[in-house]
Amino acid sequence: MDATPRLGEQACFALYTASRAVIGLYRPMLDRLGLTYPQFLVLMALWEADGRTVTALGDALQLDSGTVSPLLKRLEAAGFVERRRGSTSSGGDERRVTVHLTESGAELERRGCEITQVVGTASGMSYEDLIALRDKLNEFTEAIRTRENATD
Amino acid sequence: MDATPRLGEQACFALYTASRAVIGLYRPMLDRLGLTYPQFLVLMALWEADGRTVTALGDALQLDSGTVSPLLKRLEAAGFVERRRGSTSSGGDERRVTVHLTESGAELERRGCEITQVVGTASGMSYEDLIALRDKLNEFTEAIRTRENATD
DNA sequence: CACAACTCAGTTGTGCGCAACTTAGTTTGG
DNA sequence: CCAAACTAAGTTGCGCACAACTGAGTTGTG
């Protein structure tokens, strides 16, 4: 039990594998919309609340500006979002950039919802089990984040 | 309930976030060994069974040669592994490359084990809960992999 | 033997993630 | 008012992931 941990016994490895597997399941469906999974997450965040700033999006997705900025650049190039610097909604602060869905980006909402339904079904788990798994994972993430600095 | 799924409600997003969080927890500890998380996984696979071929490693880690090959290149450059083409252990097949721990790579085993222990503790979950979570995740991954082609 | 089908490892190109840094703009304290 | 501290977004560099492809080597079939 204190012996070398085997790959298959590790919860972390299971997490890493499961995460990639589910993104792989999304991939062919998102491909048809011209989206990657992280791009899809950005749109989900905007369907929920449009016009967020770059940092607010980063907080929602737990990603820093070094990841979000180029991601938004590609989403803008694809015509799904628009960036506005120093908009009145951010108090005219010229540092802030708000991100807004274009018509094309808003239109993806319906098809996007269908995809999440399909993935939920493909998991082979009941709705209740999925909720329970989600809550366990969020609890896990929270525990890690609070201990993050203590273990350095 | 059929409305637009919110980010925080999605099990997939929880998975994606948890996976990155746990790798982030490993990072500072692995940094000290000069390893990334995927590189650490390769070493774990080799501590378990040394001298595997590149494809066998890929199967163990669920990664293709396009990811594993450069990964091994970096591990070899760092002096932790050695690659041998057409070794007798693979029947002299000149296509096959077997990967072997160097002394330096083998020595990391003890410190690597300690790290997995620390991470397990930092999760804030009991041993039983971690096992249960791991099994749920593996079940989840398995379900997805079998349905993968059906949902295209 | 010949040669097509296949297998294995590796390369190329794109898009994340993340650390470290840069630049522009805002706030704070003297 | 002005300089220092801070904040927001973006850039750079590196290491994955993954699709698509390449080329060397092996196997199967006639």
Side-chain angles (χ1 to χ4, degrees):
Chain A
M1 186 148 144
D2 296 64
T4 304
R6 305 205 169 212
L7 221 45
E9 292 170 357
Q10 289 288 309
C12 301
F13 178 62
L15 204 47
Y16 165 75
T17 301
S19 175
R20 285 188 296 121
V22 73
I23 292 175
L25 183 58
Y26 270 106
R27 200 184 317 281
M29 296 183 273
L30 291 178
D31 268 354
R32 263 170 244 147
L33 309 189
L35 292 173
T36 64
Y37 184 66
Q39 290 168 10
F40 181 62
L41 291 180
V42 169
L43 292 188
M44 279 187 63
L46 293 175
W47 294 330
E48 196 172 325
D50 198 10
R52 299 198 204 196
T53 63
V54 172
T55 24
L57 278 172
D59 287 350
L61 274 58
Q62 300 286 347
L63 293 168
D64 73 357
S65 71
T67 301
V68 174
S69 281
L71 218 170
L72 291 173
K73 210 170 172 180
R74 286 183 286 268
L75 275 173
E76 189 165 41
F80 296 130
V81 305
E82 209 181 285
R83 282 185 289 183
R84 294 179 207 143
R85 187 174 281 272
S87 72
T88 47
S89 62
S90 49
D93 189 331
E94 282 296 324
R95 291 169 306 177
R96 284 185 153 86
V97 170
T98 54
V99 185
H100 304 264
L101 289 162
T102 61
E103 202 175 325
S104 159
E107 276 167 6
L108 289 181
E109 183 168 359
R110 176 191 285 275
R111 294 174 70 189
C113 292
E114 286 167 12
I115 290 176
T116 62
Q117 307 274 327
V118 171
V119 172
T121 316
S123 73
M125 293 172 75
S126 69
Y127 183 72
E128 290 73 25
D129 274 7
L130 275 177
I131 298 287
L133 178 59
R134 179 198 70 191
D135 292 344
K136 252 318 185 222
L137 289 170
N138 285 335
E139 187 189 312
F140 184 84
T141 304
E142 203 44 52
I144 284 173
R145 291 211 188 285
T146 59
R147 278 162 187 76
E148 204 149 45
N149 304 317
T151 55
D152 271 348
Chain B
M1 188 146 141
D2 298 65
T4 304
R6 307 206 167 210
L7 221 44
E9 292 170 358
Q10 288 287 310
C12 302
F13 177 62
L15 205 46
Y16 165 75
T17 301
S19 174
R20 285 187 299 120
V22 74
I23 293 175
L25 184 58
Y26 270 105
R27 199 183 319 281
M29 295 182 274
L30 291 178
D31 267 354
R32 262 169 245 147
L33 309 189
L35 292 173
T36 63
Y37 185 66
Q39 289 168 10
F40 181 62
L41 292 180
V42 169
L43 292 188
M44 278 186 64
L46 293 175
W47 293 330
E48 196 172 325
D50 199 10
R52 301 199 202 195
T53 63
V54 173
T55 23
L57 278 172
D59 287 349
L61 274 57
Q62 302 284 345
L63 292 168
D64 73 357
S65 72
T67 301
V68 174
S69 280
L71 217 169
L72 291 174
K73 211 170 171 180
R74 285 183 287 269
L75 275 174
E76 188 165 39
F80 297 129
V81 305
E82 210 182 284
R83 283 184 290 183
R84 295 180 207 142
R85 187 174 284 271
S87 72
T88 46
S89 61
S90 50
D93 189 331
E94 282 295 324
R95 292 169 306 177
R96 286 184 152 84
V97 169
T98 53
V99 184
H100 305 264
L101 289 163
T102 61
E103 200 175 326
S104 158
E107 276 167 7
L108 288 180
E109 182 167 358
R110 177 190 283 275
R111 294 176 70 188
C113 293
E114 287 168 12
I115 290 177
T116 62
Q117 307 273 329
V118 171
V119 172
T121 317
S123 72
M125 293 172 75
S126 70
Y127 184 71
E128 290 72 27
D129 274 9
L130 274 176
I131 298 286
L133 178 59
R134 180 199 70 192
D135 292 344
K136 259 296 189 242
L137 288 170
N138 285 334
E139 186 188 313
F140 184 84
T141 304
E142 203 42 53
I144 284 173
R145 292 212 188 284
T146 59
R147 278 161 186 77
E148 205 150 43
N149 305 316
T151 55
D152 271 347

